[in-house]
Amino acid sequence: MPVTSVDKDLEGLTMTIVADFPVTVRRLWDAYVDPRQLERFWGPPEWPATFTRHDIYPGGRSEYYMTGPDGSRSGGYWEHLAVDEGNSFEILDGFTHEDGRPNTELPTMRATFAFEETDSGARLTTTTYFNSLDELEKLLAMGVEEGTRSAMAQIDDVLADLRSFAADRATAAQLLSDTQVRISRVLRGTPQQIWDAHHDPALLRLWSFGPDGWSMTVCEPAAAPGERHRYEFSPEQGVEGETFALTGELLESDPPYREVFTETMEGVDGPPTHNEQTLTPVEGGTLVSLVVTYADKEMRDIILGTGMTDGMEAGYRRLESEVLSRA
């Protein structure tokens, strides 16, 4: 069991949990900032977590839900108040209804996560600050201490799994729900370098054109929310396929960490996809996490069935070799 102590201070209105791990601080930190890893231990075994958003930077936000044995959901969110990469982060921790709206009937707490090196590895000290004794007692009665111990008992297996999250791992698609998929890849570069490669037309043309034998013939990225992007792709002579274009609107932009945009294939009927891309520093580079929301399951499966993930992997390999390796 990684949890070594739990201290409930009824006068100071805090609960402090200390856990020790036989790994480096960097490895432990990455387990918390990578949603693929975090959701494997954040919820107790019988209530696994799914993170639909996880933005680890000041002003960022995380959103998740835990699914019970009967299919019911319990949701939560974090508002990131401060982030000191590799050392600590501070959040406001709240609950949500099943539809994602904040549940104001339950407490919202402030919590700090502090990471430090020890003689045997790494230590995580989590301190939760409550607004009143009534709130503290209410959360304890709900089983928050027992739930935390049960959840953290799973973390050792995650920390031991280095291969699944390595920088040389190919692009992978993870189904989050009937309408959502998360596409993930660690790229060998900084968030700023990868952000620039997604927004500088000269750099985009070097890598973002899918399978070999195609090229980006029109490159018009959006620079600010409300603007539209348009990318046109054409096959080279002798390559099968027809010219097509992707277009959409930039909804939110917080460089170099996060952007939200819609996208659809030009000339195709139907609602656009909703895309949230987050860039998170991890060991070996930057985790690119793209959460795509489709109109329905059928559309999700059709688009994934086109080989989209393989095309993205081909582009990411070029991004590393043609852009990031030369930065």
Side-chain angles (χ1 to χ4, degrees), residues 67-141:
T67 304
D70 61 354
S72 60
R73 291 185 177 183
S74 175
Y77 68 92
W78 300 348
E79 293 180 8
H80 295 275
L81 305 177
V83 179
D84 180 6
E85 186 187 344
N87 298 306
S88 66
F89 62 89
E90 180 180 359
I91 63 171
L92 284 181
D93 184 4
F95 296 87
T96 62
H97 295 285
E98 281 201 24
D99 61 4
R101 292 180 298 108
N103 186 344
T104 57
E105 296 178 0
L106 293 175
T108 298
M109 304 145 289
R110 182 171 64 90
T112 60
F113 295 71
F115 300 74
E116 61 181 315
E117 184 179 355
T118 66
D119 292 339
S120 58
R123 173 171 294 166
L124 171 62
T125 301
T126 305
T127 304
T128 303
Y129 300 83
F130 298 88
N131 299 305
S132 67
L133 181 60
D134 180 63
E135 283 190 1
L136 191 158
E137 292 177 337
K138 185 175 185 178
L139 267 294
L140 291 176

Side-chain angles (χ1 to χ4, degrees), residues 16 25 112 140 183 203 207 220 255 268 301:
T16 302
V25 169
T112 60
L140 291 176
I183 301 170
L203 297 178
W207 68 272
E220 300 172 348
V268 175
D301 293 344

Side-chain angles (χ1 to χ4, degrees), residues 3-312:
V3 175
T4 54
S5 69
V6 178
D7 177 31
K8 297 179 285 291
D9 184 348
L10 300 184
E11 292 187 0
L13 301 179
T14 63
M15 181 171 70
T16 302
I17 299 175
V18 178
D20 290 286
F21 306 89
V23 297
T24 64
V25 169
R26 180 79 241 188
R27 179 70 192 93
L28 182 60
W29 173 269
D30 283 354
Y32 275 82
V33 301
D34 182 345
R36 302 170 301 169
Q37 301 183 52
L38 181 59
E39 62 191 10
R40 286 173 55 178
F41 65 84
W42 185 249
E46 63 275 12
W47 282 82
T50 299
F51 276 75
T52 57
R53 178 175 175 179
H54 195 45
D55 309 333
I56 306 297
Y57 60 88
R61 184 180 176 90
S62 298
E63 297 173 355
Y64 68 92
Y65 60 86
M66 296 184 292
T67 304
D70 61 354
S72 60
R73 291 185 177 183
S74 175
Y77 68 92
W78 300 348
E79 293 180 8
H80 295 275
L81 305 177
V83 179
D84 180 6
E85 186 187 344
N87 298 306
S88 66
F89 62 89
E90 180 180 359
I91 63 171
L92 284 181
D93 184 4
F95 296 87
T96 62
H97 295 285
E98 281 201 24
D99 61 4
R101 292 180 298 108
N103 186 344
T104 57
E105 296 178 0
L106 293 175
T108 298
M109 304 145 289
R110 182 171 64 90
T112 60
F113 295 71
F115 300 74
E116 61 181 315
E117 184 179 355
T118 66
D119 292 339
S120 58
R123 173 171 294 166
L124 171 62
T125 301
T126 305
T127 304
T128 303
Y129 300 83
F130 298 88
N131 299 305
S132 67
L133 181 60
D134 180 63
E135 283 190 1
L136 191 158
E137 292 177 337
K138 185 175 185 178
L139 267 294
L140 291 176
M142 290 172 61
V144 65
E145 179 182 344
E146 293 78 5
T148 300
R149 287 182 179 274
S150 176
M152 293 192 73
Q154 307 167 99
I155 195 171
D156 285 337
D157 289 340
V158 177
L159 295 175
D161 183 1
L162 298 176
R163 185 70 191 95
S164 296
F165 314 109
D168 60 354
R169 187 80 171 180
T171 304
Q174 176 186 356
L175 301 182
L176 301 181
S177 70
D178 284 346
T179 59
Q180 283 189 315
V181 60
R182 179 198 294 133
I183 301 170
S184 305
R185 173 72 142 83
V186 175
L187 295 175
R188 295 176 179 85
T190 67
Q192 187 64 60
Q193 290 170 335
I194 295 167
W195 180 273
D196 292 342
H198 278 81
H199 296 85
D200 183 332
L203 297 178
L204 267 169
R205 290 178 184 273
L206 294 175
W207 68 272
S208 184
F209 50 83
D212 292 336
W214 286 74
S215 62
M216 182 185 288
T217 51
V218 175
C219 183
E220 300 172 348
E227 295 184 1
R228 296 189 65 82
H229 68 263
R230 185 175 186 275
Y231 306 120
E232 187 173 295
F233 306 88
S234 298
E236 297 174 359
Q237 187 172 2
V239 176
E240 293 186 2
E242 297 182 356
T243 295
F244 68 95
L246 298 176
T247 184
E249 179 183 357
L250 182 61
L251 304 177
E252 301 177 35
S253 180
D254 197 351
Y257 300 111
R258 180 176 183 267
E259 63 181 340
V260 182
F261 58 96
T262 63
E263 192 162 77
T264 188
M265 185 176 292
E266 199 169 74
V268 175
D269 293 334
T273 60
H274 182 273
N275 308 274
E276 299 185 38
Q277 179 162 277
T278 304
L279 307 181
T280 304
V282 296
E283 186 170 14
T286 296
L287 172 64
V288 180
S289 181
L290 177 65
V291 176
V292 184
T293 303
Y294 299 91
D296 50 45
K297 182 178 183 299
E298 181 182 11
M299 182 59 65
R300 184 202 70 181
D301 293 344
I302 289 174
I303 294 180
L304 288 179
T306 63
M308 179 185 73
T309 304
D310 292 338
M312 293 180 68

